[in-house]
Amino acid sequence: MPLPYLVDTNAYHLFFSNAAPDARKHLEALLFNNGHIEFYISEITSMEIYSVLGKDRRGIQKQEQICSRTISDGVCTHTWLTAGRKGIKDKLFRQLIKLASDIQGDTGAIRASILPLDNNVISAAKDFLIDYADRYNFGSQDALIAGTVIAYKEQYGNDLTVITSDRGLKVALSAARIPILDPLAVSLSHSDELVKV
């Protein structure tokens, strides 16, 4: 049985990227159980990771945008530059897709147990949106993460801690008294543990 952690998409992506190696190392240590790295993900995360990997494959095009904001002297005429980023190569993309399939198929050293989206999860997610979307910046997919935690606690008594670095989701989860851990907020005084927010 996995440890009582539900990993959201941005934290799950740490297993597929070298962007934050220290955070990944700490996350792996936290989730290590019975010789494997084990955790829960929502069915929405199971789907979303393929979208994120697709974005990694496509990369980001460099863009120039003319500012049209009204300023004290009239209208701004500056040009804003957005740095681009090359996409990952086909071979690496295929390897990452296979890794995601292996993780979600319970084969290999990293294993994610998928918690399905059902009517109870969707209802809890909707209530979460009604209660918190007017005060905090998070979206419907984030609400499904919260709804999964809420529904599984109500149905099975499972107290899950959400692992996320999403600022808006973190404050909304905190308001709902759902425990969270941020893998990117590694404590300097406790470098072997994740910081509980």
Side-chain angles (χ1 to χ4, degrees):
M1 177 178 223
L3 295 171
Y5 296 105
L6 181 79
V7 177
D8 86 335
T9 308
N10 65 40
Y12 187 33
H13 187 252
L14 291 173
F15 293 111
F16 302 89
S17 168
N18 290 325
D22 288 341
R24 178 181 172 165
K25 182 176 86 172
H26 293 289
L27 185 59
E28 288 174 348
L30 175 73
L31 300 174
F32 190 77
N33 184 35
N34 297 323
H36 298 95
I37 297 164
E38 299 178 329
F39 52 92
Y40 292 103
I41 59 173
S42 170
E43 190 172 4
I44 193 66
T45 296
S46 171
M47 293 172 51
E48 261 190 311
I49 195 64
Y50 294 105
S51 173
V52 174
L53 293 174
K55 183 177 178 181
D56 289 346
R57 173 65 192 103
R58 292 188 311 271
I60 300 171
Q61 291 184 345
K62 182 179 176 182
Q63 295 180 1
E64 292 185 17
Q65 297 176 347
I66 296 175
C67 179
S68 60
R69 292 183 178 178
T70 302
I71 57 175
S72 59
D73 296 339
V75 176
C76 176
T77 58
H78 291 273
T79 301
W80 296 94
L81 301 176
T82 304
R85 181 177 46 83
K86 282 182 125 179
I88 60 176
K89 297 189 184 233
D90 283 337
K91 182 177 179 181
L92 178 58
F93 176 67
R94 286 191 304 275
Q95 290 171 343
L96 294 176
I97 293 295
K98 173 142 180 23
L99 177 61
S101 296
D102 290 347
I103 290 171
Q104 296 177 31
D106 262 352
T107 58
I110 305 173
R111 298 179 179 183
S113 293
I114 301 169
L115 300 178
L117 298 177
D118 61 17
N119 289 337
N120 294 326
V121 170
I122 293 169
S123 178
K126 184 177 180 181
D127 290 343
F128 189 80
L129 283 165
I130 290 168
D131 292 341
Y132 300 106
D134 64 324
R135 291 178 279 162
Y136 306 110
N137 185 17
F138 66 93
S140 300
Q141 293 172 332
D142 295 328
L144 287 169
I145 299 288
T148 299
V149 172
I150 294 165
Y152 276 82
K153 182 175 184 174
E154 289 173 357
Q155 287 178 282
Y156 307 109
N158 292 358
D159 280 317
L160 297 172
T161 296
V162 177
I163 298 179
T164 183
S165 296
D166 183 302
R167 187 180 310 167
L169 179 57
K170 287 191 312 187
V171 293
L173 291 171
S174 292
R177 298 196 168 131
I178 296 172
I180 56 174
L181 289 172
D182 185 343
L184 297 181
V186 178
S187 169
L188 297 176
S189 61
H190 298 93
S191 61
D192 59 336
E193 299 175 10
L194 292 176
V195 175
K196 190 165 190 172
V197 180

